[in-house]
């Protein structure tokens, strides 16, 4: 499990770098918003498209179709869990969106890709890519709705904008490219590769920059942040493991990818989207920080049950 610990540590160090740069005032609030816009409009769509550039395999394609629908059910079940938890813990209306977002989604793009590849090989990487298609579509439609609901925005995101955005367009183009085995010219492929390579690191740095706006002591304060981290890192993956074992009698490669996705920390997109719409980012940034830190312990434990 050393690859898991190493990957999480690298991302955590990138958050620390962003925090340091923010405290040194190397990036202002305007720069932070511009970086968030760049990630959402350019870097993340390119990463999604690049993840689907691979040779067609009928058996893998069949597995991809299956995990596509399994991932939808997983997110809906996680949403139900988040709604129940928000009611039990009496979460305020302004924080409820972050709760639902974090319970539903994990960092299955930036962390899930390398970990799925390291644990399950090319098949695991492909299955995680398909699962990520579902996650990205829901994050930048339903997820945006949850995060912005209850906030007084100058320009609220309409349904058209939430569905027809760069991320979801990249999802559709990526699927068409994979199904039709369409390939871009080498010079474009290489260019997109360079853009995609900066996405993970830059996203973590943006999280660190957001944290830099907070008092360092506040990052470890707040009942809600710890409760939500426990939901993300313990409750959701524990229930996923129990459900997978109950339905299949064990954990195969497909259910293993689902367990991995469920056990990953909060996605940095909770901070990126909040910055993009200029809404409260404190709880979201704290969750990304705390869940990334604590998953150094919880993630290896759950993956031992899944391999």
């Amino acid at each position: 499990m050393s690859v898991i610990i190493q990957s999480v540590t690298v991302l955590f160090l990138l958050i620390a770098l962003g925090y340091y740069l923010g405290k040194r005032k190397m990036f202002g609030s305007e720069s932070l918003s511009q970086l968030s816009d760049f990630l959402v409009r350019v870097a993340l769509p390119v990463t999604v498209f690049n993840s689907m550039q691979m040779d067609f395999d009928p058996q893998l394609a069949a597995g991809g179709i299956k995990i596509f629908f399994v991932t939808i059910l997983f997110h809906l079940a996680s949403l139900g869990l988040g709604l129940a938890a928000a009611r039990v813990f009496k979460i305020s209306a302004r924080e409820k969106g972050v709760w639902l977002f974090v319970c539903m989604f994990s960092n299955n793009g930036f962390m899930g890709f390398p970990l799925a590849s390291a644990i399950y090989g090319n098949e695991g990487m492909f299955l995680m890519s398909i699962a990520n298609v579902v996650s990205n579509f829901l994050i930048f439609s339903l997820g945006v709705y949850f995060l912005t609901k209850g906030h007084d925005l100058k320009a609220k995101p309409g349904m058209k904008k939430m569905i027809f955005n760069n991320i979801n367009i990249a999802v559709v183009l990526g699927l068409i490219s994979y199904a039709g085995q369409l390939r871009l010219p080498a010079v474009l492929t290489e260019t997109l590769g360079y853009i995609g390579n900066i996405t993970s690191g830059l996203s973590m740095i943006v999280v660190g920059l957001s944290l830099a706006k907070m008092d360092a002591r506040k990052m470890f304060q707040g009942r809600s942040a710890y409760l939500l981290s426990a939901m993300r890192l313990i409750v959701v993956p524990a229930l996923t493991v129990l459900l997978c074992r109950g339905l299949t009698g064990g954990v195969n490669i497909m259910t293993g990818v689902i367990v991995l996705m469920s056990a990953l920390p909060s996605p940095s997109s909770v901070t990126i989207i909040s910055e993009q719409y200029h809404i409260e980012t404190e709880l979201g940034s704290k969750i990304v920080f705390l869940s990334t830190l604590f998953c150094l312990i919880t993630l290896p434990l759950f993956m031992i049950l899944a391999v």
Side-chain angles (χ1 to χ4, degrees), residues 22-198:
K23 286 299 184 184
R24 294 295 296 254
K25 307 297 182 183
M26 294 185 69
F27 293 92
S29 297
E30 184 178 356
S31 297
L32 181 54
S33 294
Q34 290 170 342
L35 286 173
S36 298
D37 280 342
F38 170 76
L39 281 167
V40 172
R41 298 173 187 268
V42 180
L44 281 167
V46 168
T47 302
V48 170
F49 181 82
N50 286 347
S51 71
M52 309 192 77
Q53 301 307 293
M54 59 183 69
D55 293 334
F56 186 82
D57 183 323
Q59 186 174 353
L60 269 182
I65 293 172
K66 185 175 181 179
I67 202 170
F68 181 90
F69 291 104
V70 170
T71 305
I72 293 174
L73 294 175
F74 167 78
H75 285 313
L76 292 177
S78 298
L79 171 59
L81 184 63
L83 287 168
R87 180 182 291 271
V88 169
F89 295 118
K90 299 179 180 178
I91 303 303
S92 67
R94 289 184 67 84
E95 290 189 349
K96 186 176 180 181
V98 176
W99 270 73
L100 298 181
F101 190 100
V102 172
C103 285
M104 279 187 75
F105 307 115
S106 68
N107 199 347
N108 59 310
F110 304 140
M111 290 179 63
F113 284 168
L115 292 178
S117 178
I119 298 171
Y120 299 110
N122 291 337
E123 186 175 352
M125 175 67 170
F126 176 83
L127 293 176
M128 183 62 81
S129 297
I130 299 299
N132 200 51
V133 167
V134 177
S135 296
N136 276 319
F137 187 86
L138 292 175
I139 282 173
F140 290 94
S141 51
L142 194 59
V144 171
Y145 171 76
F146 287 147
L147 290 178
T148 56
K149 185 180 181 182
H151 291 271
D152 186 18
L153 302 180
K154 293 181 179 179
K156 288 185 177 293
M159 185 58 65
K160 182 178 179 180
K161 184 176 180 180
M162 287 191 290
I163 294 177
F164 296 100
N165 57 58
N166 290 8
I167 297 285
N168 294 337
I169 290 172
V171 167
V172 174
L173 292 178
L175 286 172
I176 293 173
S177 174
Y178 174 72
Q181 286 296 281
L182 305 176
R183 293 291 181 263
L184 297 174
V187 64
L188 288 179
T189 299
E190 187 172 354
T191 301
L192 294 180
Y194 277 116
I195 296 173
N197 288 340
I198 69 173

Side-chain angles (χ1 to χ4, degrees), residues 265-281:
S266 172
S268 56
S269 50
V270 66
T271 301
I272 294 168
I273 293 171
S274 297
E275 289 287 353
Q276 187 184 31
Y277 287 100
H278 308 289
I279 58 180
E280 179 59 49
T281 62

